mmCIF file of all heavy atoms in Angstrom:
data_model
loop_
_atom_site.group_PDB
_atom_site.id
_atom_site.type_symbol
_atom_site.label_atom_id
_atom_site.label_comp_id
_atom_site.label_asym_id
_atom_site.label_seq_id
_atom_site.Cartn_x
_atom_site.Cartn_y
_atom_site.Cartn_z
ATOM 1 N N THR A 133 4.581 -3.995 10.019
ATOM 2 C CA THR A 133 5.783 -3.331 9.416
ATOM 3 C C THR A 133 6.701 -4.323 8.758
ATOM 4 O O THR A 133 7.105 -4.072 7.586
ATOM 5 C CB THR A 133 6.516 -2.596 10.564
ATOM 6 O OG1 THR A 133 5.686 -1.647 11.187
ATOM 7 C CG2 THR A 133 7.789 -1.881 9.999
ATOM 8 N N GLU A 134 6.974 -5.416 9.364
ATOM 9 C CA GLU A 134 7.940 -6.380 8.805
ATOM 10 C C GLU A 134 7.356 -7.129 7.618
ATOM 11 O O GLU A 134 8.009 -7.456 6.673
ATOM 12 C CB GLU A 134 8.397 -7.340 9.912
ATOM 13 C CG GLU A 134 9.200 -6.704 10.993
ATOM 14 C CD GLU A 134 10.436 -6.000 10.510
ATOM 15 O OE1 GLU A 134 11.070 -6.434 9.484
ATOM 16 O OE2 GLU A 134 10.876 -4.999 11.131
ATOM 17 N N SER A 135 6.011 -7.394 7.686
ATOM 18 C CA SER A 135 5.351 -8.138 6.597
ATOM 19 C C SER A 135 5.292 -7.248 5.326
ATOM 20 O O SER A 135 5.354 -7.771 4.218
ATOM 21 C CB SER A 135 3.922 -8.548 6.990
ATOM 22 O OG SER A 135 3.988 -9.454 8.068
ATOM 23 N N ALA A 136 5.161 -5.946 5.490
ATOM 24 C CA ALA A 136 5.145 -5.084 4.347
ATOM 25 C C ALA A 136 6.558 -4.907 3.775
ATOM 26 O O ALA A 136 6.730 -4.671 2.574
ATOM 27 C CB ALA A 136 4.594 -3.686 4.757
ATOM 28 N N ARG A 137 7.591 -5.090 4.580
ATOM 29 C CA ARG A 137 8.979 -4.883 4.127
ATOM 30 C C ARG A 137 9.515 -6.091 3.450
ATOM 31 O O ARG A 137 10.206 -5.975 2.377
ATOM 32 C CB ARG A 137 9.816 -4.567 5.365
ATOM 33 C CG ARG A 137 11.283 -4.309 5.054
ATOM 34 C CD ARG A 137 12.015 -3.932 6.327
ATOM 35 N NE ARG A 137 11.565 -2.659 6.840
ATOM 36 C CZ ARG A 137 11.455 -2.374 8.144
ATOM 37 N NH1 ARG A 137 11.725 -3.270 9.059
ATOM 38 N NH2 ARG A 137 11.006 -1.151 8.572
ATOM 39 N N GLY A 138 9.260 -7.292 3.931
ATOM 40 C CA GLY A 138 9.785 -8.481 3.348
ATOM 41 C C GLY A 138 8.809 -9.637 3.388
ATOM 42 O O GLY A 138 7.656 -9.450 3.699
ATOM 43 N N SER A 139 9.274 -10.849 3.068
ATOM 44 C CA SER A 139 8.362 -11.987 3.064
ATOM 45 C C SER A 139 7.833 -12.318 4.446
ATOM 46 O O SER A 139 8.407 -11.880 5.476
ATOM 47 C CB SER A 139 9.125 -13.218 2.515
ATOM 48 O OG SER A 139 10.106 -13.662 3.460
ATOM 49 N N PHE A 140 6.727 -13.071 4.508
ATOM 50 C CA PHE A 140 6.180 -13.453 5.783
ATOM 51 C C PHE A 140 7.180 -14.289 6.577
ATOM 52 O O PHE A 140 7.247 -14.224 7.801
ATOM 53 C CB PHE A 140 4.893 -14.216 5.607
ATOM 54 C CG PHE A 140 3.747 -13.386 5.208
ATOM 55 C CD1 PHE A 140 2.934 -13.686 4.111
ATOM 56 C CD2 PHE A 140 3.415 -12.218 5.955
ATOM 57 C CE1 PHE A 140 1.839 -12.879 3.791
ATOM 58 C CE2 PHE A 140 2.312 -11.450 5.616
ATOM 59 C CZ PHE A 140 1.509 -11.758 4.581
ATOM 60 N N ALA A 141 8.021 -15.117 5.881
ATOM 61 C CA ALA A 141 9.003 -15.891 6.561
ATOM 62 C C ALA A 141 10.051 -14.956 7.253
ATOM 63 O O ALA A 141 10.430 -15.165 8.383
ATOM 64 C CB ALA A 141 9.673 -16.821 5.613
ATOM 65 N N GLU A 142 10.482 -13.955 6.492
ATOM 66 C CA GLU A 142 11.402 -12.977 7.071
ATOM 67 C C GLU A 142 10.783 -12.175 8.220
ATOM 68 O O GLU A 142 11.402 -11.927 9.215
ATOM 69 C CB GLU A 142 11.899 -12.010 5.997
ATOM 70 C CG GLU A 142 12.756 -12.686 4.950
ATOM 71 C CD GLU A 142 13.079 -11.800 3.775
ATOM 72 O OE1 GLU A 142 12.217 -10.846 3.485
ATOM 73 O OE2 GLU A 142 14.068 -11.974 3.086
ATOM 74 N N ALA A 143 9.466 -11.835 8.079
ATOM 75 C CA ALA A 143 8.756 -11.136 9.104
ATOM 76 C C ALA A 143 8.708 -11.977 10.348
ATOM 77 O O ALA A 143 8.888 -11.489 11.502
ATOM 78 C CB ALA A 143 7.392 -10.751 8.649
ATOM 79 N N ARG A 445 7.768 -6.772 -3.716
ATOM 80 C CA ARG A 445 7.294 -7.532 -2.609
ATOM 81 C C ARG A 445 6.393 -8.738 -3.015
ATOM 82 O O ARG A 445 6.663 -9.845 -2.662
ATOM 83 C CB ARG A 445 6.550 -6.612 -1.625
ATOM 84 C CG ARG A 445 5.845 -7.331 -0.440
ATOM 85 C CD ARG A 445 6.886 -8.015 0.424
ATOM 86 N NE ARG A 445 6.286 -8.701 1.565
ATOM 87 C CZ ARG A 445 5.898 -9.983 1.600
ATOM 88 N NH1 ARG A 445 6.044 -10.712 0.518
ATOM 89 N NH2 ARG A 445 5.366 -10.496 2.655
ATOM 90 N N ILE A 448 8.194 -11.471 -5.439
ATOM 91 C CA ILE A 448 9.437 -12.077 -5.045
ATOM 92 C C ILE A 448 9.455 -13.583 -5.455
ATOM 93 O O ILE A 448 8.444 -14.211 -5.510
ATOM 94 C CB ILE A 448 9.771 -11.915 -3.520
ATOM 95 C CG1 ILE A 448 8.634 -12.511 -2.689
ATOM 96 C CG2 ILE A 448 9.997 -10.480 -3.189
ATOM 97 C CD1 ILE A 448 8.844 -12.441 -1.214
ATOM 98 N N VAL A 461 -0.824 -6.876 2.330
ATOM 99 C CA VAL A 461 0.524 -6.413 2.086
ATOM 100 C C VAL A 461 0.509 -5.249 1.086
ATOM 101 O O VAL A 461 1.219 -4.274 1.254
ATOM 102 C CB VAL A 461 1.416 -7.555 1.582
ATOM 103 C CG1 VAL A 461 2.731 -7.011 0.990
ATOM 104 C CG2 VAL A 461 1.710 -8.517 2.713
ATOM 105 N N ARG A 465 1.874 -1.606 2.103
ATOM 106 C CA ARG A 465 2.945 -0.925 1.340
ATOM 107 C C ARG A 465 2.557 0.406 0.806
ATOM 108 O O ARG A 465 3.368 1.370 0.796
ATOM 109 C CB ARG A 465 3.458 -1.880 0.260
ATOM 110 C CG ARG A 465 4.321 -3.041 0.791
ATOM 111 C CD ARG A 465 4.788 -3.967 -0.313
ATOM 112 N NE ARG A 465 5.855 -3.319 -1.123
ATOM 113 C CZ ARG A 465 7.169 -3.273 -0.812
ATOM 114 N NH1 ARG A 465 7.532 -3.784 0.301
ATOM 115 N NH2 ARG A 465 8.028 -2.746 -1.636
#
Side-chain angles (χ1 to χ4, degrees):
T133 300
E134 296 301 330
S135 296
R137 181 178 292 144
S139 71
F140 285 128
E142 292 170 335
R445 174 63 179 92
I448 56 179
V461 167
R465 285 181 71 82

